Amino acid sequence: MAAPLLALSGVSKAFGTTQALAGVSFDLYPGEVHALVGENGAGKSTLLAVLTGVVTPDSGTIAIDGKHVTIDGPARAQALGIGTVFQELSLAGSLTVAENIFAGRLPTMAGFVRWKELRRRAREVLGAFGMEIPVDRTVDSLPAGARQLVEIAKALSLDSRILLLDEPTSALTNDEVEALLGIVARLKARGMGVVYVSHKLSEVFRIADRITVLRDGCLVGTRPAAATSVSSVVRDMVGRDLAPSDEDARRTPGAIALKARGLSRHGEFADIDLELRSREIVGLAGLVGSRRTELARTLGGLAAPHSGAVEVRGSPIRFGSPRDAMALGVVYVPDDRKSEGLFLSRSVMDNAVVTTLRRLSRFGVINAASSRMVAHHAVDRFRIKARGIDLPAGSLSGGNQQKLMLAKWLATNPGIVIVNEPTKGVDIEAKREIHNHLRRLAEAGAAILAVSSDLLELLAISDRIVIMREGRVVGTVGGRAATEEEIMRLAAGAGHHGVGEAA
């Protein structure tokens, strides 16, 4: 067998009293996709940070092509042929695809950018890997999947031989996932080594040659993907059998909590009729361009409809802001925890209590003891792994940030919850916990609208699923009896209306 392209041996890293990595060894061969999996907080992000030069290990060695190297910064990682595509993309949305690919390296002559040469080079990089993206388009005008490919092209333009992909499909639709996995297969065929980090085990088993599991900073084991199974990997990840799910619990929907009739917003959606009942979870599905998020944001008070009517518990209402919606017991949990969901530089406690400050203050003074009690309750209730409630929310792993965001909004005891991508970027056990929280919330009487690009998620938690296409509702199917194929046919315009579907 050829020598490893990359080899880590006995790598350890501690942050204070927390041992993020403990003697981890990991290797990668040319033409291999090596998946790195584990729960949030298992050490995956720290391992990637070591490889990108963001974090210096306390001990252990790193070798590339059999030669020991020191990676003391991102520039050194790039020089060694290591390219990285993080879950949170680093692109400049107002710049073109070509400008992003060659950011900081624009071809110039006499101080002027050679635009024709820039576009030629960008097309060359994209074309070499089968990526068909207009190089003159601004990045923020592209769908999520294309932006992800631009980030990959940017890494490849640096002559990378090792590509680190961190949750590359967390915000992609099914079609975009297929396109990205096709690119990864091409990179593998060209002899590149790919480290693939993902919580989506179905993708891992499709694309990976080997799978390494980390748990609590320790190496659990490395196995060929063909010689293991999803259940075995899950057991290795959590160290035990998963807690039972509440998915078999049956609920009888109650009274109508929210009703929309003829709801329209110019350029986004039109003539939406929708009912949410207490003790019910309604899924909202649709492909990119279906405008499902725009509808959810409007129902949550973040945007005003241009026509139509909304009733909450039988009374006509018109939200002017999220605060107005909250006053009526309606909350919107966004899909982007980084920019909309949390104050990452503020403490876990500050984030946990921010929606209930009025209840925790008197004459404008916040009761510190009560705030700490509420924060500790949220951490315990949602099993948030935090070293302390006074540490920044940004210090939490992605899954724990997601649970903190949900805890923050549910602290208001809402009667109507609109949640967008509830388990985006979280591990298997965190996803199960969040699903169970939503089920218990519905069982307690709440009406829930769950927006998700993950059809299996909607099928698992929904009592019924509403499908949108191009800003209109095109069908409604029963959650338990529906299939992915049925939903996709409607979402893509290839199906027919079933019982109870909207025309």
Side-chain angles (χ1 to χ4, degrees):
M1 182 179 288
L5 183 58
L6 168 73
L8 287 78
S9 179
V11 171
S12 296
K13 179 64 184 179
F15 298 98
T17 59
T18 301
Q19 191 70 42
L21 292 173
V24 172
S25 296
F26 178 90
D27 57 20
L28 175 71
Y29 286 86
E32 179 187 42
V33 178
H34 193 155
L36 184 63
V37 301
E39 292 188 278
N40 290 118
K44 305 186 304 295
S45 296
T46 303
L47 187 60
L48 293 186
V50 167
L51 290 174
T52 54
V54 174
V55 166
T56 301
D58 299 326
S59 61
T61 61
I62 303 172
I64 292 180
D65 292 326
K67 298 178 180 178
H68 289 297
V69 298
T70 298
I71 307 177
D72 53 8
R76 178 60 174 157
Q78 287 183 7
L80 290 168
I82 300 174
T84 310
V85 179
F86 289 109
Q87 184 176 352
E88 307 298 331
L89 302 184
S90 61
L91 303 175
S94 61
L95 299 183
T96 66
V97 169
E99 289 171 307
N100 271 280
I101 291 175
F102 290 97
R105 301 172 291 126
L106 302 180
T108 60
M109 179 178 289
F112 293 95
V113 176
R114 300 166 59 196
W115 295 107
K116 186 175 181 180
E117 176 66 9
L118 172 64
R119 290 190 288 270
R120 184 193 68 77
R121 291 186 186 180
R123 291 191 189 97
E124 192 174 80
V125 171
L126 292 166
F129 297 96
M131 305 182 201
E132 298 180 1
I133 305 172
V135 298
D136 289 324
R137 288 271 299 274
T138 58
V139 164
D140 58 10
S141 71
L142 299 174
R147 291 196 294 271
Q148 192 75 273
L149 296 182
V150 172
E151 189 79 76
I152 292 175
K154 180 179 176 180
L156 297 176
S157 73
L158 295 165
D159 297 323
S160 301
R161 295 187 302 138
I162 299 167
L163 185 62
L164 314 179
L165 295 179
D166 183 17
E167 297 290 350
T169 64
S170 63
L172 305 188
T173 65
N174 290 341
D175 288 344
E176 290 171 335
V177 169
E178 292 299 320
L180 186 136
L181 294 183
I183 295 296
V184 173
R186 289 192 187 97
L187 299 179
K188 172 182 170 179
R190 292 170 69 103
M192 286 189 67
V194 179
V195 178
Y196 195 91
V197 179
S198 179
H199 292 305
K200 299 181 178 180
L201 294 185
S202 59
E203 292 173 11
V204 166
F205 274 85
R206 284 183 58 188
I207 200 71
D209 298 290
R210 288 188 294 158
I211 301 172
T212 286
V213 179
L214 296 183
R215 185 173 71 241
D216 298 329
C218 298
L219 174 68
V220 177
T222 298
R223 302 178 189 174
T228 187
S229 64
V230 171
S231 59
S232 294
V233 170
V234 170
R235 195 176 303 112
D236 285 344
M237 287 168 60
V238 301
R240 61 191 183 283
D241 291 327
L242 286 174
S245 170
D246 297 341
E247 61 187 15
D248 291 330
R250 305 297 301 183
R251 293 179 300 273
T252 301
I256 295 173
L258 183 147
K259 178 189 291 187
R261 286 290 177 265
L263 204 66
S264 300
R265 185 171 164 81
H266 302 329
E268 294 184 356
F269 53 84
D271 299 323
I272 300 295
D273 291 343
L274 180 70
E275 291 182 353
L276 304 180
R277 294 179 175 271
S278 64
R279 294 175 52 82
E280 180 183 42
I281 299 177
V282 176
L284 186 61
L287 302 176
V288 169
S290 65
R291 305 296 189 174
R292 63 189 185 214
T293 290
E294 288 83 350
L295 174 60
R297 290 174 67 88
T298 299
L299 293 174
L302 279 75
H306 294 129
S307 61
V310 178
E311 295 180 1
V312 171
R313 299 178 192 88
S315 299
I317 57 94
R318 182 172 289 276
F319 298 142
S321 66
R323 179 175 294 180
D324 292 343
M326 287 173 60
L328 291 168
V330 181
V331 298
Y332 173 78
V333 184
D335 61 330
D336 189 343
R337 57 181 175 260
K338 300 286 187 182
S339 62
E340 291 187 308
L342 296 172
F343 301 103
L344 294 178
S345 62
R346 302 300 296 266
S347 69
V348 171
M349 182 179 74
D350 288 346
N351 278 276
V353 304
V354 68
T355 58
T356 57
L357 289 179
R358 286 189 177 182
R359 196 172 74 212
L360 297 172
S361 59
R362 183 175 176 82
F363 302 119
V365 179
I366 299 173
N367 186 311
S370 296
S371 295
R372 298 189 73 81
M373 183 174 66
V374 169
H376 280 298
H377 175 70
V379 167
D380 292 341
R381 178 186 176 194
F382 285 84
R383 296 176 64 186
I384 298 169
K385 296 178 182 177
R387 298 195 301 272
I389 63 171
D390 295 314
L391 293 178
S395 68
L396 301 179
S397 66
N400 286 300
Q401 287 180 18
Q402 191 77 5
K403 289 192 282 186
L404 177 60
M405 180 171 67
L406 196 61
K408 158 189 161 181
W409 287 110
L410 296 188
T412 64
N413 296 316
I416 300 169
V417 178
I418 300 164
V419 56
N420 197 353
E421 302 291 356
T423 59
K424 180 179 177 181
V426 308
D427 61 44
I428 291 173
E429 188 165 24
K431 175 179 282 194
R432 185 171 292 235
E433 289 177 5
I434 290 171
H435 286 175
N436 285 342
H437 278 300
L438 293 177
R439 293 184 182 106
R440 288 193 286 270
L441 194 63
E443 185 65 31
I448 300 174
L449 180 67
V451 186
S452 180
S453 55
D454 185 343
L455 296 186
L456 291 177
E457 173 168 72
L458 293 182
L459 291 168
I461 66 174
S462 303
D463 297 293
R464 55 190 172 93
I465 300 170
V466 175
I467 302 102
M468 291 185 67
R469 184 177 71 248
E470 297 177 354
R472 294 180 181 272
V473 172
V474 294
T476 301
V477 297
R480 303 294 177 90
T483 64
E484 287 184 86
E485 292 77 11
E486 183 180 9
I487 295 171
M488 286 299 297
R489 281 199 301 271
L490 289 165
H496 60 278
H497 297 301
V499 178
E501 294 173 355

